[in-house]
Amino acid sequence: MKLFPLLIHTHFHNRLTGVTRSIENVFPYLENQSEAYIFGYGIEGRKISFGKLLKLVLSKRYFVMHCHRNNEIILALLLRLLGGNFKLISTRHAKTPPSSFTNYLFKKSDLIVALTKSMSQSLPFKAEVVGHGVDTKLFKSKSSVVRPEIKQKNILTCAGRVREAKGQKVLLETIAPFLKQYPDWALAIIGKVDKPKFLKELKEIVANHSAEDQVYFIEETPEIISFYQASHSVIVPSFTEGFSLVCAEAMSCGCNVLASKGVGIHSEIITHGKNGYLFNIHNPAEMKALLIKLVEGELAHLGDKARKEVEANWSSETEANKLMELYDSQS
C-alpha cells in the first residue's frame, strides 16, 4: 500500500561517498512505499529529468524533496520561488558545526534530519534523528572467505578514506611495534588516499618496525564485503565521523568491531563487551591494551551479536520506515 504520493531525493556529486551509499541502500525500500525518484547524478536509482521535475513544480502537485548537500538545497529553494508545492527536508551528514550559510539554508527547510543523537544535540535548531541503514542482504556473514593477497591467517581490517581524521596513523603507531610478535596476524588498510604524503608517512611507520610483510595497503575496492567476511576483526579508529557506515557495515558482516568511543554512531550501535568494543582514540595505551588482548585471544569474538544488532536496529528497511514516518508527517 502506498503511504506517500511522491518523493524526490537529490544527489549532486560525482564521487562515491557514504551519502551516495546510504541513499542507494534505502531507496529500494522507499520505492516500495511511495512514487520515488532521484534527481541528480553519480548515483544508481530511478531518475527524474530536470524537464519532468520542472513540469512537476509548475503543475503545483504536492511532493517531498529530500536534500543532502548545500547545492541541492539551493536548487530546491529556487524551485520554490517558481511556485513549487513541496516540503523540503534536509539531512546534515557532517559532525562539524555548520557554517552560517549552511544554517541559513537549513532554516529555510521544513524539517532537518541528523544522523546521530550527538549530531542532533550539536545543531542550533531542532532535528529529527534517523541514522543510515545497512543493506543486510548484501552485507552479511559468510564463512570460509579468504583474500589470496593476504598471507596471514588472521586479518584485521581498517577501511575508509586514508586521511588523518580516520586514525590510521595512530593505529599503525600503536600496532606496528608489536605486530611482528604475532606472525599469524595481518593489518589491511583499505581506502582511497587523499594525500600521497600521508600514505608515505604511514608506510614509514611500518618500515621503521619492519612490519612490511604484515601490513597491506589496498586501494578502494568494490570487493570490500569479501574483505569484511574474511576478517577476524575490523578496527575503526576515527577521530571524527558524520555517521560511520564502515562500522555498521562491518558489524552487519558479522565482524568483531573495535571502534573509537563517542565518534559518529560508534557508541550508539556498540555496547562495549556485548556486541563490540570501544576505546578512547585519544589514549593510545587504551587502544594498545585492547589490541594485544585481541591478538592474544583474550577477547570474545562478538560478530554474531554485532550482526543481530544491525538487523534489529540499523537496517536500510528500518531507516526507510523512519523516513516515511517523517515524510508522512509533512503531508
Side-chain angles (χ1 to χ4, degrees):
M1 180 179 178
K2 300 293 184 184
L3 299 180
F4 197 81
L6 184 59
L7 165 66
I8 297 174
H9 268 259
T10 56
H11 187 275
F12 302 167
H13 203 67
N14 278 316
R15 196 180 74 238
L16 176 65
T17 66
V19 178
T20 312
R21 288 213 315 278
S22 67
I23 298 173
E24 289 178 342
N25 286 347
V26 77
F27 195 73
Y29 295 99
L30 298 177
E31 284 186 296
N32 287 338
Q33 301 185 61
S34 65
E35 183 184 350
Y37 299 93
I38 296 174
F39 178 66
Y41 51 87
I43 189 170
E44 297 296 324
R46 183 170 62 180
K47 304 288 202 318
I48 185 171
S49 68
F50 179 71
K52 289 183 178 179
L53 176 60
L54 193 57
K55 285 182 181 179
L56 178 64
V57 168
L58 296 176
S59 74
K60 309 295 185 183
R61 181 181 172 187
Y62 175 74
F63 63 97
V64 160
M65 179 172 276
H66 192 155
C67 297
H68 304 270
R69 297 179 175 91
N70 283 2
N71 55 355
E72 299 166 15
I73 301 174
I74 291 169
L75 173 77
L77 295 178
L78 291 173
L79 293 176
R80 188 168 272 174
L81 288 176
L82 294 176
N85 178 29
F86 60 88
K87 293 290 185 177
L88 173 57
I89 295 180
S90 301
T91 292
R92 176 65 176 170
H93 290 269
K95 183 65 170 65
T96 53
S99 67
S100 57
F101 181 62
T102 299
N103 281 334
Y104 169 79
L105 294 177
F106 277 159
K107 287 176 182 177
K108 296 291 185 181
S109 303
D110 296 295
L111 189 145
I112 308 299
V113 176
L115 301 180
T116 67
K117 293 175 184 176
S118 60
M119 183 186 293
S120 171
Q121 292 164 357
S122 69
L123 293 174
F125 34 73
K126 184 179 184 298
E128 300 292 333
V129 178
V130 181
H132 290 325
V134 178
D135 184 347
T136 55
K137 296 176 183 176
L138 184 62
F139 290 85
K140 59 185 179 181
S141 307
K142 189 175 181 181
S143 60
S144 303
V145 175
V146 296
R147 292 301 312 186
E149 63 270 77
I150 297 180
K151 305 176 213 174
Q152 288 76 14
K153 176 182 177 182
N154 302 305
I155 304 172
L156 303 176
T157 291
C158 178
R161 302 283 289 192
V162 180
R163 57 170 61 155
E164 196 97 30
K166 296 294 186 179
Q168 293 101 343
K169 184 176 181 180
V170 174
L171 174 59
L172 279 174
E173 288 173 338
T174 303
I175 199 171
F178 65 81
L179 194 56
K180 283 192 71 176
Q181 300 172 36
Y182 303 92
D184 288 338
W185 289 81
L187 172 65
I189 295 179
I190 306 171
K192 184 176 177 61
V193 177
D194 278 359
K195 296 179 180 179
K197 182 181 176 182
F198 183 62
L199 178 61
K200 183 180 178 183
E201 289 179 26
L202 298 183
K203 289 184 175 181
E204 285 175 354
I205 294 169
V206 175
N208 289 340
H209 296 282
S210 302
E212 295 96 331
D213 291 340
Q214 289 174 266
V215 178
Y216 299 78
F217 293 94
I218 298 166
E219 294 182 0
E220 186 177 39
T221 172
E223 299 178 11
I224 188 62
I225 295 174
S226 70
F227 273 99
Y228 290 149
Q229 292 169 338
S231 296
H232 178 283
S233 299
V234 169
I235 319 297
V236 194
S238 308
F239 286 93
T240 181
E241 291 279 359
F243 180 78
S244 191
L245 263 177
V246 166
C247 179
E249 289 173 348
M251 291 176 70
S252 185
C253 287
C255 293
N256 190 53
V257 175
L258 288 68
S260 46
K261 190 185 306 180
V263 174
I265 204 67
H266 297 170
S267 293
E268 293 179 37
I269 194 171
I270 293 176
T271 301
H272 183 71
K274 297 270 181 87
N275 59 7
Y277 298 95
L278 297 166
F279 56 85
N280 182 354
I281 188 59
H282 299 285
N283 184 355
E286 182 178 319
M287 179 167 61
K288 179 179 179 180
L290 198 62
L291 289 171
I292 288 177
K293 284 184 178 180
L294 176 68
V295 297
E296 288 279 2
E298 296 176 11
L299 288 185
H301 193 286
L302 301 174
D304 289 343
K305 293 179 179 178
R307 167 75 181 179
K308 289 177 182 177
E309 171 65 25
V310 175
E311 287 179 318
N313 300 304
W314 305 94
S315 70
S316 297
E317 186 172 8
T318 297
E319 179 190 5
N321 291 337
K322 290 179 179 179
L323 287 176
M324 290 305 302
E325 288 179 11
L326 293 184
Y327 300 151
D328 198 47
S329 72
Q330 299 299 302
S331 60

